[in-house]
Amino acid sequence: MAWAADGAVQSLPGGPAVRQMDLAPPATQIAADVQSLHYGLLVVCLLIFVAVFGVMFYSILKHRKSLGAKPANFHESVKVEIAWTIVPFIIVACMGFAATKTVVAQKDTSNADLTIKVTGYQWKWGYEYLKGPGEGIQFLSTLDPAQRQMSDAGKPSGDDYLLKVDHPMVVPVGQKVRIITTANDVIHSWMIPAFGVKQDAIPGFVRDTWFRADRTGDFYGQCAELCGKEHAYMPIHVRVLSADDYAQWVAGEKKRLAELADDPKKVWEHDALMARGQQVYAGNCAVCHRPDGKGGGPVKPLDGSAKVLDADHLVQIQVLLHGQNNVMPSWKQLSDTEIAAVVTFTKNNWSNQTGQTVQPSEVTAARAQ
Amino acid sequence: MSAANDSHGTPYYFVPQPSRHPALGALALFLIAFGAAQWINDLSWGRYAVLAGFLVLFSVLFQWFGDAIRESEGGQYSQRIDASFRWSMSWFIFSEVMFFAAFFGALFWARAHVIPALGSLDNQLLWPDFKAVWPSEMPGATGSPAGTVAPFETMGPWPIPTLNTALLLTSGLTITMAHHALLADRRGTCIGWMWLTVALGATFLGFQAYEYMHAYHELNLKLTSGIYGSTFYMLTGFHGFHVLLGTLMLTVITLRLMKGHFSSKHHFGFEGVAWYWHFVDVVWLGLYLVVYWM
Amino acid sequence: MSAVLDAHGHPAHDAHDHAHGPTPGWRRWVYATNHKDIGTMYLLFSFTMLMIGGVLALCIRAELFKPGLQFFNPELFNQFTTMHGLIMVFGAIMPAFVGFANWMIPLQIGASDMAFARMNNFSFWLLIPAALLLVSSFFMPGGAPAAGWTLYAPLTLQMGPAMDAGIFAMHIMGASSIMGAINIIVTVLNMRAPGMTLMKMPLFAWTWLITAYLLIAVMPVLAGAITMTLTDRHFGTSFFNPAGGGDPVMYQHIFWFFGHPEVYIMILPAFGIVSAIIPAFARKKLFGYTSMVYATGSIAILSFIVWAHHMYTTGMPVTGQLFFMYATMLIAVPTGVKIFNWVATMWRGSMTFETPMLFAVGFLFVFSMGGFTGLILSMAPVDLQLQDTYYVVAHFHYVLVAGSLFAMFAGYYYWAPKWTGVMYSETRGRIHFWGSLIFFNVTFFPMHFLGLAGMPRRYADYPMQFADFNEVASIGAFGFGFMQVYFFLATVLPMMRGRGEPAPAKPWEGAEGLEWEVPSPAPHHTFETPPKLDETATRVVG
Ligand code: HEA
Ligand code: HEA
Ligand code: CUA
Ligand SMILES: [Cu+2]
């Protein structure tokens, strides 16, 4: 395979293009400004480069000993030194000046139409629509598991390889969207090149940025701050919809959420909880604790763990709610039902055959403490 | 060739013979670092490596300094070497200043930026109940947004830190008196002032140890007491460690004075330690102000 | 010349009670107090580390050759990236420059040795435990540190025991660097031969003087940062933990307060080497000596107020972003002055292009490209697009590999005849140069495109669209690595064995300086009594 991508992959609109050599085609005013700044800089730098090294190569060609060049004797000139201090100074001053407006514009997150809180988790993104149309919607966005498997197998395929998520973030076109970033465990970074946006998500702090997409379509980015082993596997997918489509999406989403919302008071059958727990485990825990529950490195095994086997359900519930030792993050963003299900699952899987069943109400009670 | 030596046979610039101290010293540090890395990860055999490392280190330092003292007293060190020592001690102290600067910087950043930011309007999204007050400004505040820090009391300037300030300032004075005595060739007086300085330093350490016990047992102020406890112990602990080193150095110098080392003309060893002591003193004044008063 | 050469039948010499030849056997090296022997050990150590770091780089490139995981799991990949960065920065580049300083500074300023010969050896031997701790961390439970060479909190809090070994290793290296720096400063300030005024000193000594100052100022700050990491990991402090009132970004501020000056620590001595070589092969005095000195000083001072250009995406206030952007851009001015002075030195010279000069010109050309991409990164809005992408990786390999490393190759070819007493083979030198230059660009130029297209760094796997340029880069990397092996086998090894034409005391027609006043190979002891210099302080008289 001479060129890996020969024909096997097409450019992804809103994402990377095959052999792309330039910034992504801008989909916001900021991204367009950034692109022209970049072109401007590139031209200035190239001109200086050509001038300086033109002189140098001329000299290399002409002033050689083999051509009989005799060394001149000058080695100092205050005038020249001052000149080539001042001129570059003026050039960089102009560059700084040119960039200032964009810096200020990029930082202005006021008067947003829609505010979305983006939370980085190891290794997925959580979206929460805080204000504006769609308020109240929230969901997690995870890499499609098939992509991860292809990666492991070393057999990637598809134009959206490693960029496909189960649940893209959706925004309306032409509206100012304010993104508030934060993180749950370590630092992540939320970026969409086509929007000219990149903002670190810092645990314990909120930071913000904004964009106003000027066309509909799908746009992609990837986590841009080293966040542990699955750093390469937490892509960002933003779908920009027309106002009508967006309203429709909001309606659909609200309905879905209402259906999905588990009643934490419900009393579950053991088997139903096990089945649900298996899903939760595969989606959240298996990356670290491994599917066989053996953990690895700093990650503790669950199989045979005293805390998992403990007859007091609270012991394990507390670990899930509050995390442990910096390594195990807190999972309080999961619903009571999900926590109860996954606790039940781990208590009754592999060699752990405790026969215990943990009900969502126990988690509700633990949370209230 | 006579240019090489002045009239007393002192070489122009003394270059020591091959020596085994550096390589052994490196071995000692390897044992210490390797052992410590195991030890803090609950592998208890690490502590034996640390112990062995320190034993090797002390014996190396003992011999190394012994060599240097013999060379110095043997008249091998010319004026030029003396100047080298002065430069090197100044730059070493500068590096220590920057070391402290990192921790002072952390305290400054925590107070000027972190706590206000955590309690800001925007951050209410994450910590709705957090009030941005630095613990020393209001009783009961812990500076911990998550409420994970057990309540504690902060450490005020009275009485121990103020006493300690007085002790250190006095010790700065006594060491200067000792220096003047040495310059005037009054060795006995000098030794007296030196022991006094050592005693002041040791008292400082004793007080600080008492202060820590008090903090742990009565104030519930611990390393785990959030950013306040972290910066408090890091700054005072790192400083205390320097006082300890300084006191040891002072002791060595005093013992050397008693053995008849140093003269009114030739006593950089003494001066270097005095500089170090003044540096420790000045750092304390900064600490006293920003850790205990502000 | 008698002041220079080994004394024969000088009775007064016995007053110095050191032996005149080197001590035979292994003690010569382990117990060394001789600046030349210690310099040699530094250079060999750093070359070894370059190989280890290079093999890790090749593992990275092999994994990235194709999309999809080929050889390593992502965790191991992160360990490779982290250790590659740490080993290259702290193990290869920094010690190599100290090795050059050890060998050349006493020779260039007419000193008998380094100011503190035993401490000098201590600085070197400390590197061994540090390297052992670092490299052995691969075999510790949980594997080597995998948080990037920048060791950002709170990711470091999740690492296994190897992180602590890494932290202690950095402490030890820091101590080594500080001692080395103090030694160099004192040597330069206090041991110059009479007549060697500061403003007549070779620029290599000047750049190292300023570098040493930077080292002393920032290594302790790094030590402070990682000490806080250590206590956060094990003793329950909350420096970087917001739940207890700390701030992960505080780590970044402290780290980059060290980190940015650190990158100039890795380039200023390179400037010094190039400033020696270009005049030698242009057969013309360095243009603008004084302004070169001032420019170096300005770079050092500015380097303390630009650190947050690594942190534009952490979200600082707009005023902060503007300040750091303007300040960073300013550094282009003194760096430009240097470039212009070098070009002016070449202008109307009488040039020849032996290998040292080839590498020096290659340095100028390719380092400047890295400088320009740095300037592009310094513009905050553009950096928001490029931060943490391969554009940054391209930038810093242009300045570090084609900058620092090429300058070291130049310095090697220039001074190794003095060290070993034999000439290298010019043909082989040329092959090494052209091979390195071409493969270097094949490796790192495509990374600019990858970065612009948005490929994040520290990724074990990537979308398929990035495949082509990654493939090119990987091929280049293996070629580049091959050239370095060639360099070792074809040039370094024969010279170490003394194979080759004997080198005259001054192999380069246009070279100036005291190092050329002593025979090749330089005798074990030189300038034991201060030499008498002519008024340019470049020749020994009488
Ligand atoms: C030897 C090391 C070295 C050197 C010399 C430099 C030099 C410079 N660097 Fe670089 N840099 C690194 C090593 C280095 N850097 C490393 C290792 C990182 C990444 C760390 C990490 O994240 O892991 C980094 C990252 C880095 C970033 C952060 C990128 C990011 O993470 O988002 C930035 C941003 O401003 C930057 C800027 C600069 C600038 C402006 C210079 C300037 O000094 C360059 C000045 C030179 C020139 C400009 C060229 C010559 C000048 C002329 C010919 C004069 C005329 C020119 C004009 C008037 C324009 N560097
Ligand atoms: C300081 C100097 C330095 C040097 C010299 C290099 C040299 C090289 N670097 Fe490195 N690099 C860094 C400093 C340096 N790097 C830093 C600081 C980082 C950031 C780390 C981080 O993100 O935390 C980095 C990151 C980095 C990355 C990004 C990794 C990632 O983001 O995941 C890549 C990817 O290609 C890379 C490649 C290379 C290559 C191919 C070389 C080559 O030039 C190496 C050439 C040398 C050899 C190859 C050795 C000689 C060969 C042998 C011993 C025999 C085997 C050879 C063959 C079989 C051919 N480097
Ligand atoms: Cu999340 Cu990288
Ligand atoms: Cu920088």
Side-chain angles (χ1 to χ4, degrees):
Chain A
M1 196 158 37
W3 299 107
D6 230 5
V9 63
Q10 306 298 317
S11 299
L12 180 67
V18 174
R19 270 171 247 149
Q20 180 182 336
M21 295 166 77
D22 190 7
L23 291 168
T28 62
Q29 186 55 45
I30 293 277
D33 291 349
V34 168
Q35 194 169 43
S36 36
L37 278 174
H38 178 242
Y39 285 152
L41 265 177
L42 212 56
V43 169
V44 174
C45 288
L46 266 176
L47 287 178
I48 302 175
F49 194 79
V50 169
V52 173
F53 290 96
V55 173
M56 187 183 88
F57 280 113
Y58 178 84
S59 167
I60 285 179
L61 288 178
K62 296 286 171 180
H63 306 148
R64 298 172 161 257
K65 194 176 175 205
S66 52
L67 298 178
K70 290 270 170 298
N73 206 8
F74 62 89
H75 58 81
E76 213 148 35
S77 160
V78 178
K79 275 195 217 111
V80 184
E81 300 286 353
I82 290 179
W84 65 39
T85 308
I86 304 254
V87 173
F89 179 82
I90 294 173
I91 298 176
V92 294
C94 295
M95 289 178 178
F97 183 74
T100 302
K101 218 180 87 210
T102 313
V103 175
V104 175
Q106 245 168 354
K107 277 279 164 191
D108 177 18
T109 54
S110 57
N111 299 323
D113 302 309
L114 174 61
T115 305
I116 304 176
K117 178 180 162 206
V118 177
T119 310
Y121 299 99
Q122 276 172 324
W123 290 274
K124 56 171 75 55
W125 293 99
Y127 296 102
E128 217 178 306
Y129 288 59
L130 292 184
K131 227 161 71 194
E135 191 172 325
I137 294 177
Q138 74 185 80
F139 52 85
L140 289 174
S141 172
T142 317
L143 176 70
D144 166 35
Q147 309 278 319
R148 187 68 184 78
Q149 279 154 18
M150 281 194 276
S151 179
D152 263 339
K155 295 205 172 50
S157 75
D159 296 346
D160 56 357
Y161 174 60
L162 294 190
L163 295 170
K164 187 171 174 194
V165 301
D166 58 353
H167 210 142
M169 174 176 133
V170 179
V171 296
V173 73
Q175 304 273 13
K176 182 163 182 176
V177 182
R178 177 175 177 226
I179 299 288
I180 296 182
T181 64
T182 185
N184 193 43
D185 28 53
V186 300
I187 304 176
H188 304 263
S189 190
W190 194 87
M191 67 116 150
I192 297 285
F195 295 168
V197 163
K198 183 181 288 149
Q199 177 57 55
D200 289 1
I202 297 159
F205 290 81
V206 297
R207 291 297 187 334
D208 64 352
T209 183
W210 69 277
F211 63 84
R212 190 196 298 273
D214 57 20
R215 57 189 152 90
T216 58
D218 289 286
F219 298 93
Y220 300 88
Q222 292 176 288
C223 176
E225 182 64 59
L226 179 60
C227 53
K229 68 190 173 67
E230 305 289 301
H231 168 49
Y233 304 102
M234 49 183 294
I236 298 136
H237 176 181
V238 177
R239 180 167 292 156
V240 182
L241 297 181
S242 67
D244 287 351
D245 289 348
Y246 182 72
Q248 223 169 25
W249 175 80
V250 169
E253 199 65 13
K254 289 242 157 105
K255 207 160 129 232
R256 189 186 63 87
L257 278 176
E259 278 165 9
L260 255 183
D262 299 298
D263 176 8
K265 298 211 180 64
K266 176 175 165 192
V267 177
W268 289 61
E269 295 282 317
H270 182 81
D271 290 347
L273 268 182
M274 283 295 284
R276 183 75 191 276
Q278 181 157 25
Q279 283 172 11
V280 179
Y281 187 85
N284 299 286
C285 320
V287 246
C288 293
H289 290 286
R290 317 304 313 161
D292 61 6
K294 296 270 195 270
V299 178
K300 299 248 159 68
L302 300 178
D303 191 9
S305 150
K307 286 196 177 163
V308 176
L309 297 175
D310 204 312
D312 181 2
H313 302 169
L314 258 183
V315 173
Q316 196 187 350
I317 294 176
Q318 293 294 5
V319 174
L320 266 91
L321 285 177
H322 303 300
Q324 181 178 316
N325 290 345
N326 293 320
V327 178
M328 168 82 181
S330 153
W331 289 96
K332 58 174 179 270
Q333 74 276 11
L334 296 181
S335 75
D336 293 353
T337 309
E338 284 170 320
I339 293 185
V342 79
V343 170
T344 307
F345 173 73
T346 51
K347 280 178 179 298
N348 296 286
N349 198 29
W350 314 298
S351 69
N352 302 349
Q353 299 298 341
T354 59
Q356 299 170 23
T357 310
V358 180
Q359 293 297 344
S361 55
E362 297 177 55
V363 183
T364 321
R367 265 193 222 267
Q369 281 177 7
Chain B
M1 232 21 228
S2 60
N5 305 326
D6 66 19
S7 44
H8 309 294
T10 307
Y12 175 77
Y13 199 98
F14 174 77
V15 177
Q17 293 219 312
S19 158
R20 63 171 194 272
H21 308 322
L24 278 176
L27 175 73
L29 284 184
F30 177 70
L31 289 173
I32 294 172
F34 192 69
Q38 308 303 319
W39 192 6
I40 52 177
N41 287 292
D42 301 326
L43 291 168
S44 58
W45 62 264
R47 77 181 86 160
Y48 302 110
V50 173
L51 188 72
F54 272 109
L55 287 179
V56 179
L57 185 68
F58 283 127
S59 82
V60 167
L61 289 182
F62 192 76
Q63 297 177 39
W64 191 335
F65 292 153
D67 280 0
I69 291 167
R70 264 189 299 285
E71 286 153 11
S72 170
E73 295 298 314
Q76 299 289 336
Y77 287 181
S78 57
Q79 283 299 311
R80 205 155 262 276
I81 291 217
D82 203 62
S84 286
F85 282 135
R86 279 160 206 280
W87 278 119
S88 63
M89 194 66 196
S90 328
W91 286 102
F92 170 65
I93 288 178
F94 175 59
S95 82
E96 292 272 52
V97 169
M98 294 308 290
F99 211 147
F100 273 102
F103 300 132
F104 275 106
L107 174 62
F108 170 77
W109 183 253
R111 296 198 57 174
H113 174 79
V114 181
I115 295 293
L118 283 168
S120 70
L121 221 52
D122 280 346
N123 253 291
Q124 283 190 0
L125 204 56
L126 301 177
W127 314 110
D129 306 322
F130 181 60
K131 299 271 171 309
V133 259
W134 185 251
S136 66
E137 278 160 14
M138 191 180 79
T142 60
S144 150
T148 47
V149 170
F152 59 88
E153 282 174 60
T154 58
M155 183 68 75
W158 302 106
I160 293 184
T162 307
L163 273 177
N164 267 347
T165 310
L167 288 177
L168 273 196
L169 285 177
T170 318
S171 74
L173 208 69
T174 53
I175 200 169
T176 310
M177 297 306 287
H179 192 196
H180 282 295
L182 184 60
L183 287 175
D185 272 326
R186 285 180 289 137
R187 184 170 297 267
T189 327
C190 175
I191 293 172
W193 284 116
M194 284 303 284
W195 279 125
L196 190 57
T197 315
V198 173
L200 288 167
T203 319
F204 177 98
L205 285 171
F207 274 164
Q208 190 167 16
Y210 175 80
E211 182 194 77
Y212 277 11
M213 304 244 281
H214 172 65
Y216 255 78
H217 294 132
E218 276 124 59
L219 305 183
N220 197 31
L221 171 59
K222 303 183 172 166
L223 264 175
T224 47
S225 298
I227 188 70
Y228 182 87
S230 310
T231 49
F232 174 80
Y233 282 107
M234 186 60 98
L235 276 163
T236 57
F238 196 56
H239 176 265
F241 173 67
H242 279 76
V243 178
L244 177 68
L245 282 187
T247 311
L248 289 177
M249 282 153 61
L250 286 170
T251 314
V252 171
I253 291 296
T254 317
L255 293 173
R256 286 185 63 192
L257 277 164
M258 292 172 75
K259 279 180 84 177
H261 294 178
F262 304 124
S263 68
S264 56
K265 298 242 158 47
H266 192 81
H267 54 258
F268 178 71
F270 178 96
E271 276 181 278
V273 174
W275 291 356
Y276 191 77
W277 194 250
H278 287 308
F279 151 72
V280 170
D281 200 354
V282 171
V283 172
W284 174 260
L285 290 181
L287 270 178
Y288 181 58
L289 221 67
V290 301
V291 174
Y292 293 101
W293 277 101
M294 289 166 74
Chain C
M1 287 297 278
S2 68
V4 171
L5 293 175
D6 249 10
H8 296 290
H10 279 291
H13 245 78
D14 300 338
H16 302 242
D17 48 5
H18 47 247
H20 260 92
T23 331
W26 57 272
R27 286 190 186 80
R28 167 174 180 188
W29 304 102
V30 179
Y31 295 175
T33 43
N34 180 285
H35 71 102
K36 303 185 183 78
D37 286 351
I38 296 174
T40 305
M41 290 196 292
Y42 261 111
L43 289 168
L44 288 176
F45 170 82
S46 60
F47 198 79
T48 314
M49 295 313 265
L50 178 74
M51 291 291 142
I52 299 177
V55 169
L56 293 175
L58 293 183
C59 292
I60 295 174
R61 285 315 327 167
E63 178 54 60
L64 295 179
F65 183 68
K66 280 201 301 183
L69 296 178
Q70 310 295 328
F71 306 107
F72 310 112
N73 63 43
E75 206 168 356
L76 192 58
F77 181 89
N78 289 348
Q79 296 175 20
F80 287 159
T81 298
T82 305
M83 296 296 283
H84 163 69
L86 286 173
I87 288 179
M88 285 299 195
V89 169
F90 294 102
I93 303 290
M94 289 171 66
F97 280 133
V98 184
F100 276 96
N102 253 296
W103 251 104
M104 299 320 299
I105 287 181
L107 281 180
Q108 287 191 325
I109 63 173
S112 55
D113 205 298
M114 295 294 280
F116 303 102
R118 272 184 302 235
M119 188 168 89
N120 197 16
N121 199 28
F122 196 31
S123 305
F124 170 75
W125 279 99
L126 282 183
L127 292 175
I128 305 290
L132 284 175
L133 279 173
L134 211 54
V135 175
S136 69
S137 66
F138 270 114
F139 307 104
M140 292 183 187
W149 83 281
T150 48
L151 302 177
Y152 276 8
L155 190 56
T156 42
L157 305 185
Q158 295 185 345
M159 298 285 132
M163 191 67 230
D164 304 306
I167 288 176
F168 289 129
M170 311 266 282
H171 277 130
I172 295 178
M173 278 191 265
S176 156
S177 291
I178 290 171
M179 282 192 272
I182 290 179
N183 225 328
I184 289 167
I185 293 190
V186 175
T187 308
V188 170
L189 290 182
N190 196 36
M191 295 187 67
R192 278 167 288 123
M196 176 66 73
T197 61
L198 280 177
M199 291 312 275
K200 284 181 186 161
M201 204 164 65
L203 264 176
F204 181 64
W206 253 116
T207 50
W208 242 117
L209 179 66
I210 292 169
T211 304
Y213 157 75
L214 287 178
L215 274 169
I216 295 178
V218 300
M219 289 310 288
V221 176
L222 171 69
I226 56 179
T227 304
M228 289 186 253
T229 305
L230 189 77
T231 59
D232 268 16
R233 279 168 58 80
H234 291 289
F235 303 109
T237 56
S238 330
F239 288 107
F240 310 131
N241 175 7
D247 179 3
V249 177
M250 179 164 91
Y251 175 85
Q252 299 184 18
H253 280 290
I254 302 177
F255 179 86
W256 288 115
F257 183 83
F258 148 80
H260 188 81
E262 166 72 13
V263 308
Y264 294 110
I265 288 169
M266 292 189 282
I267 203 65
L268 293 184
F271 289 169
I273 293 176
V274 170
S275 303
I277 291 173
I278 289 183
F281 294 91
R283 293 171 180 72
K284 183 162 157 276
K285 262 184 86 161
L286 182 69
F287 190 85
Y289 176 94
T290 321
S291 72
M292 286 297 232
V293 173
Y294 287 133
T296 313
S298 322
I299 294 176
I301 290 165
L302 283 174
S303 75
F304 284 106
I305 54 162
V306 300
W307 76 87
H309 64 221
H310 297 272
M311 300 168 55
Y312 290 138
T313 56
T314 57
M316 39 180 148
V318 71
T319 41
Q321 232 165 39
L322 289 175
F323 171 80
F324 285 107
M325 178 170 85
Y326 299 148
T328 305
M329 288 178 162
L330 272 188
I331 296 195
V333 176
T335 316
V337 168
K338 290 187 147 280
I339 306 267
F340 301 141
N341 277 323
W342 287 320
V343 173
T345 307
M346 291 161 76
W347 187 252
R348 293 185 46 211
S350 166
M351 279 185 275
T352 51
F353 295 92
E354 288 88 344
T355 313
M357 183 65 164
L358 286 178
F359 269 107
V361 173
F363 164 92
L364 269 195
F365 190 71
V366 196
F367 168 80
S368 296
M369 288 167 69
F372 283 122
T373 53
L375 200 70
I376 289 174
L377 286 171
S378 73
M379 190 178 268
V382 181
D383 181 71
L384 288 197
Q385 286 283 38
L386 299 175
Q387 204 269 333
D388 252 315
T389 67
Y390 264 78
Y391 196 88
V392 179
V393 177
H395 157 66
F396 67 72
H397 284 92
Y398 265 78
V399 282
L400 278 169
V401 178
S404 316
L405 198 60
F406 273 25
M408 286 191 295
F409 289 145
Y412 176 82
Y413 286 103
Y414 185 57
W415 283 316
K418 178 61 55 193
W419 304 339
T420 61
V422 291
M423 294 302 288
Y424 59 87
S425 146
E426 198 58 58
T427 332
R428 293 174 179 181
R430 274 162 210 259
I431 294 175
H432 177 218
F433 169 72
W434 287 108
S436 296
L437 185 75
I438 291 168
F439 281 122
F440 168 79
N441 282 291
V442 174
T443 313
F444 294 105
F445 201 75
M447 292 189 190
H448 292 113
F449 302 139
L450 288 172
L452 287 166
M455 174 169 163
R457 60 193 281 211
R458 299 162 170 170
Y459 263 32
D461 194 6
Y462 49 84
M464 304 262 282
Q465 287 85 356
F466 300 133
D468 288 3
F469 288 129
N470 270 300
E471 196 173 282
V472 178
S474 292
I475 294 171
F478 277 85
F480 187 81
F482 178 76
M483 287 323 297
Q484 306 329 313
V485 179
Y486 174 79
F487 166 62
F488 184 74
L489 295 180
T491 305
V492 179
L493 217 51
M495 287 181 89
M496 278 169 65
R497 294 199 179 132
R499 307 247 169 88
E501 266 176 61
K506 185 173 140 198
W508 316 117
E509 188 189 348
E512 274 192 349
L514 299 185
E515 69 259 44
W516 310 113
E517 302 286 292
V518 304
S520 302
H524 201 55
H525 293 284
T526 38
F527 301 130
E528 283 180 286
T529 48
K532 234 205 197 102
L533 305 180
D534 73 350
E535 88 223 34
T536 58
T538 55
R539 312 233 32 178
V540 176
V541 291

